[in-house]
């Protein structure tokens, strides 16, 4: 998917329309750019793994699937850590 990092969530149709016209995002995150900036400024390796609970659309928490997002995130983190462990053990 295509994502953008924002400093405030898209909560209304006007803001969503402006962002879709400019960036064509499927998802948006709020923390990604800050984490990357600090890590790069401090010369710290980093990896960001995100899980999607909702799309860029007018805020409707009824459309969010947080349990699914958390379970897929946990599964992915476990797989990444297993792969890192296998590489460092070899």
């Amino acid at each position: 998917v295509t994502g953008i990092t924002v400093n405030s969530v898209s909560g209304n149709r006007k803001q969503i329309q402006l962002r879709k016209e400019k960036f064509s995002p499927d998802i948006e995150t709020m923390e990604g750019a800050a984490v990357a900036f600090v890590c790069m400024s401090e010369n710290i390796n980093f990896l960001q793994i995100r899980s999607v609970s909702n799309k860029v659309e007018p805020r409707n928490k009824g459309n969010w699937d947080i349990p699914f997002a958390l379970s897929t995130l946990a599964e992915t983190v476990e797989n990444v850590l297993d792969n890192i462990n296998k590489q460092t053990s070899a």
Side-chain angles (χ1 to χ4, degrees), residues 3 13-14 23 34 39 44 47 51 60 68 70 79 83-87:
R13 291 187 190 282
K14 182 178 179 183
F23 304 108
C39 290
I44 299 170
L47 170 69
S51 188
N60 178 355
F68 177 74
L70 290 175
N79 288 337
N83 284 330
I84 290 171
N85 187 40
K86 288 176 186 173
Q87 290 178 7

Side-chain angles (χ1 to χ4, degrees), residues 25-39:
D26 299 302
I27 62 169
E28 60 189 13
T29 66
M30 295 185 67
E31 302 84 3
V35 170
F37 178 79
V38 170
C39 290

Side-chain angles (χ1 to χ4, degrees), residues 5 58 76 88:
T5 297
T76 300
T88 58

Side-chain angles (χ1 to χ4, degrees), residues 40-75:
M40 291 185 333
S41 295
E42 297 297 320
N43 199 27
I44 299 170
N45 293 330
F46 65 96
L47 170 69
Q48 183 181 149
I49 301 171
R50 304 296 302 219
S51 188
V52 178
S53 61
N54 59 297
K55 297 180 181 180
V56 178
E57 62 185 9
R59 186 169 296 251
N60 178 355
K61 291 183 180 181
N63 287 340
W64 295 8
D65 193 349
I66 293 174
F68 177 74
L70 290 175
S71 68
T72 57
L73 178 62
E75 181 180 328

